[in-house]
Amino acid sequence: MAERPEDLNLPNAVITRIIKEALPDGVNISKEARSAISRAASVFVLYATSCANNFAMKGKRKTLNAGDVLSAMEEMEFQRFVAPLKESLEVYRREQKGKKEARKDKDKKADSEEQDKSREEDNDDDDERMEEEEQNEEEEVDN
């Protein structure tokens, strides 16, 4: 696990980016405020993970899944986040499915190209053999 409490904090770059996206342009935030938000976000993530882990343990599982996190949000009384999280999860799953299908299509195309190349090589070999046979026949006729 973590050796120090600071090891559990979220990366400062990520926190800074989230803060900048949430604030209007031209608004600055002090280093102390950024640090406080970082600690608060880290505590929230740890608490949510702990609650989700409880749901996984009740289900006699060691792996947390999306349902565990959504149930944890409801238990933590963050119901207003459940709908947006479900929408984000659906978008993520559609993207992953699209990537998986694209990868399958790419693999099928590569396999098809390999088969075509192999057929071409076989045809080239056959052509060479036929030419050799024709030459041999011509030589036999000449003799």
Side-chain angles (χ1 to χ4, degrees), residues 54-85:
N54 290 340
F55 281 102
M57 287 173 54
K58 286 178 187 174
K60 297 180 181 172
R61 292 177 284 109
K62 292 184 177 183
T63 303
L64 302 181
N65 61 34
D68 297 329
V69 174
L70 295 171
S71 297
M73 287 293 135
E74 289 177 1
E75 182 176 292
M76 294 166 39
E77 298 182 11
F78 283 100
Q79 288 88 356
R80 68 180 183 185
F81 291 116
V82 173
L85 284 172

Side-chain angles (χ1 to χ4, degrees), residues 26-140:
V27 176
N28 294 323
I29 186 164
S30 71
K31 190 174 182 179
E32 293 86 16
R34 200 170 36 246
S35 177
I37 291 170
S38 176
R39 280 190 240 120
S42 297
V43 169
F44 175 79
V45 169
L46 289 170
Y47 181 56
T49 303
S50 176
C51 289
N53 188 48
N54 290 340
F55 281 102
M57 287 173 54
K58 286 178 187 174
K60 297 180 181 172
R61 292 177 284 109
K62 292 184 177 183
T63 303
L64 302 181
N65 61 34
D68 297 329
V69 174
L70 295 171
S71 297
M73 287 293 135
E74 289 177 1
E75 182 176 292
M76 294 166 39
E77 298 182 11
F78 283 100
Q79 288 88 356
R80 68 180 183 185
F81 291 116
V82 173
L85 284 172
K86 284 182 181 178
E87 290 173 18
S88 296
L89 180 61
E90 285 303 314
V91 168
Y92 172 78
R93 286 180 175 163
R94 279 194 299 268
E95 288 175 358
Q96 293 303 311
K97 187 175 182 181
K99 287 179 182 178
K100 186 176 182 180
E101 289 174 358
R103 199 175 312 120
K104 279 184 181 179
D105 291 344
K106 184 179 178 183
D107 290 345
K108 283 182 183 178
K109 185 177 179 182
D111 288 344
S112 176
E113 289 176 357
E114 283 181 23
Q115 289 175 352
D116 290 345
K117 189 175 181 181
S118 175
R119 286 185 193 130
E120 287 176 8
E121 289 174 356
D122 288 344
N123 288 340
D124 290 345
D125 291 344
D126 290 343
D127 290 345
E128 288 176 13
R129 269 186 253 130
M130 289 177 70
E131 287 176 10
E132 287 176 13
E133 288 175 7
E134 288 174 2
Q135 286 177 351
N136 289 338
E137 287 177 6
E138 288 175 7
E139 288 175 4
E140 288 177 6

Side-chain angles (χ1 to χ4, degrees), residues 4-33:
R4 302 171 296 164
E6 299 86 43
D7 292 342
L8 299 174
N9 289 341
L10 298 172
N12 287 331
V14 173
I15 298 298
T16 301
R17 188 178 72 236
I18 292 170
I19 292 170
K20 283 183 179 180
E21 289 175 5
L23 294 175
D25 290 337
V27 176
N28 294 323
I29 186 164
S30 71
K31 190 174 182 179
E32 293 86 16

